Amino acid sequence: MSEDDRTRAMRSPGDGRPLPRGNDDGSRSAGAPAQRFPQRPGARPTPAGPPVADDATVVNSPMADQRPKGRVYGKQRSGGGGPVKPLRGGAEASPSGPRPPRRRIRGRTVLTIIAAFLAVLLLTTVGLFIWIDGKLAGIDKVLDDYEGRPADTPGTNWLLVGSDSRKGLSAAQRRKLATGRSAGQRTDSMMLLHLPEGSDRPTLVSLPRDSAVTIPGRGRNKLNAAYAIGGPPLLVQTVETVTGVHIDNYMEIGFAGFVDIVDAVGGVEIDVRAAVNDPKAGLKLKKGKQVLTGGQALGYVRTRKGGALPDFERTKRQRQFLSAVVKKAASPGVLINPFTSLPLASAATEAVAVDNGTGVFDMLSLGLAMGDSPVTTVVPFGGSELAGGGTAVKWDRTKALALFNALKEDKPVPKDILDPN
């Protein structure tokens, strides 16, 4: 074939003719033309080139260890003995293949989870309140109507009574708390708490137990004699008669319950105004702010040490401590903490006795109201008189009436009547 024939036999790029078939095995050496040139007569055939070796052949070849090591795409080849694997996106491809797309949490799913959590919380709270309410000890006929009873007045009035009952105390506890072995049950402290309907602060009034009053059907005697004679019903009737204030709720607590409640909230901080050393009350305290345990708190509100009028100093300490312990019990740190709220609820339900109309929601309202730092005072007094076979405290009739009239009318107590604390 002439030179011109060989030139015409070559396919020019882009002339539209199909590529001729190659070798039967489809392999060509690198750099070999896509089609074969015609051979001159008598010329030796051009070899198609060495076959392409697969990965196993290259790795097992004796020349494999002699190949130079180098970097490919910035990655060091491991020993130069393996095939180069291209990197995908600057990192090696995951051997497990592409990761499945992450599932996104839909807004509806989040709302469902929140709603379920709130529902469980609500059911737990309601169940807890029902459990506490069922454990409250009710006292029958405490607030029964009687002839001449004062009409209901604005606001809510509580009669809070601390008794000297030793019920629930073992012999060892009585010795430790220095409570003695007195039998029976008497009032150790009495306070009238008024919760206003408006935004005014609550008012807490101490009623000295040795106050000279007229007990319905029993004549002139000390106030605590009403409790000793007729229990809570007669005490309520006596207080309503001498004050003209309608009592809406009644709550009573003994020595053991007092100690348990204070310990349940982790003690209460009190600013002791003067050092106290009273062996009869089992109490020894230094002056200044300090956290009192249940036993120390009981001695603090019972001691008659200190002051020109020990009984009135005692009522001040009782009001001070009651405000402090209720304020702490109603604080968010105690109520939302199950490690304090549950022991407190258990101690409170076992420690207190209430009238049959008072429930756990009333007690919660009491605690929240007391957290608002109530105004505290004592019934104004002016001298003494003989009553009940001993000397009794005589109230200042004019100032006492002004105090109780303010409570009945749901108004703030005049400042000139308040006891300076």
Side-chain angles (χ1 to χ4, degrees):
M1 179 182 293
S2 65
E3 189 69 27
D4 293 337
D5 292 337
R6 288 197 300 270
T7 302
R8 284 193 299 270
M10 295 180 62
R11 183 177 72 85
S12 60
D15 63 358
R17 290 183 297 162
L19 291 171
R21 296 181 60 184
N23 296 337
D24 292 339
D25 59 0
S27 61
R28 292 187 296 272
S29 62
Q35 74 177 57
R36 298 190 179 190
F37 291 95
Q39 300 293 326
R40 295 182 182 178
R44 296 176 60 185
T46 304
V52 178
D54 58 11
D55 293 345
T57 304
V58 174
V59 172
N60 297 326
S61 171
M63 300 295 292
D65 295 336
Q66 300 179 13
R67 288 186 296 179
K69 300 179 181 180
R71 292 180 178 273
V72 180
Y73 305 124
K75 179 177 177 63
Q76 180 73 36
R77 292 175 62 185
S78 57
V84 176
K85 296 182 180 180
L87 300 181
R88 192 177 292 178
E92 292 189 54
S94 173
S96 59
R99 294 181 180 177
R102 292 184 178 178
R103 295 182 61 184
R104 294 183 178 180
I105 300 178
R106 297 182 179 180
R108 183 178 299 178
T109 303
V110 175
L111 292 178
T112 302
I113 295 174
I114 294 176
F117 173 77
L118 293 178
V120 172
L121 182 62
L122 178 61
L123 290 175
T124 303
T125 304
V126 172
L128 181 62
F129 271 93
I130 294 175
W131 173 73
I132 296 173
D133 195 66
K135 290 188 65 177
L136 280 175
I139 306 175
D140 294 331
K141 302 179 180 181
V142 178
L143 301 179
D144 283 359
D145 286 333
Y146 55 86
E147 185 178 354
R149 187 183 186 190
D152 195 8
T153 53
T156 303
N157 300 306
W158 286 75
L159 182 59
L160 308 176
V161 177
S163 74
D164 61 0
S165 170
R166 276 75 170 169
K167 183 180 179 180
L169 293 176
S170 64
Q173 288 175 319
R174 289 196 298 268
R175 288 193 299 269
K176 180 179 179 181
L177 299 175
T179 61
R181 298 182 179 180
S182 297
Q185 187 170 330
R186 293 173 295 274
T187 54
D188 196 62
S189 62
M190 289 166 284
M191 285 176 272
L192 180 61
L193 174 66
H194 176 74
L195 307 179
E197 289 185 347
S199 58
D200 293 329
R201 293 163 59 191
T203 302
L204 184 64
V205 183
S206 290
L207 306 174
R209 65 176 188 172
D210 291 335
S211 299
V213 296
T214 300
I215 300 176
R218 299 289 179 165
R220 200 74 172 167
N221 208 327
K222 295 179 180 180
L223 181 58
N224 63 348
Y227 186 93
I229 295 171
L234 185 57
L235 176 62
V236 170
Q237 184 178 356
T238 301
V239 171
E240 288 184 332
T241 301
V242 298
T243 64
V245 176
H246 182 93
I247 302 300
D248 301 296
N249 302 93
Y250 176 89
M251 183 170 70
E252 177 184 318
I253 184 171
F255 284 169
F258 187 91
V259 173
D260 291 342
I261 289 178
V262 174
D263 288 339
V265 297
V268 178
E269 185 180 64
I270 290 293
D271 187 3
V272 180
R273 299 176 182 177
V276 181
N277 185 8
D278 185 1
K280 290 184 178 181
L283 184 67
K284 187 174 183 179
L285 297 175
K286 60 182 181 180
K287 181 181 178 181
K289 289 186 178 181
Q290 51 203 291
V291 177
L292 304 186
T293 64
Q296 291 174 319
L298 180 60
Y300 183 74
V301 299
R302 292 181 60 229
T303 183
R304 288 179 170 84
K305 293 286 185 178
L309 298 171
D311 277 343
F312 280 91
E313 291 298 323
R314 186 167 175 262
T315 62
K316 287 183 180 181
R317 290 192 296 272
Q318 291 171 349
R319 295 194 306 271
Q320 176 196 23
F321 195 84
L322 178 64
S323 298
V325 70
V326 175
K327 185 175 183 178
K328 183 171 182 180
S331 64
V334 172
L335 290 179
I336 66 177
N337 183 355
F339 296 101
T340 53
S341 59
L342 292 180
L344 172 62
S346 179
T349 53
E350 295 176 0
V352 303
V354 296
D355 65 276
N356 285 331
T358 296
V360 64
F361 287 101
D362 299 305
M363 295 183 64
L364 181 60
S365 299
L366 167 67
L368 294 176
M370 287 288 288
D372 197 23
S373 300
V375 176
T376 63
T377 189
V378 64
V379 178
F381 64 95
S384 61
E385 66 173 87
L386 294 176
T391 302
V393 177
K394 186 176 181 178
W395 291 357
D396 184 321
R397 181 175 178 81
T398 302
K399 291 184 178 182
L401 285 176
L403 167 64
F404 296 128
N405 286 336
L407 299 182
K408 287 191 295 183
E409 297 171 4
D410 200 26
K411 295 180 179 179
V413 177
K415 292 183 178 181
D416 61 330
I417 297 177
L418 295 177
D419 175 45
N421 294 314

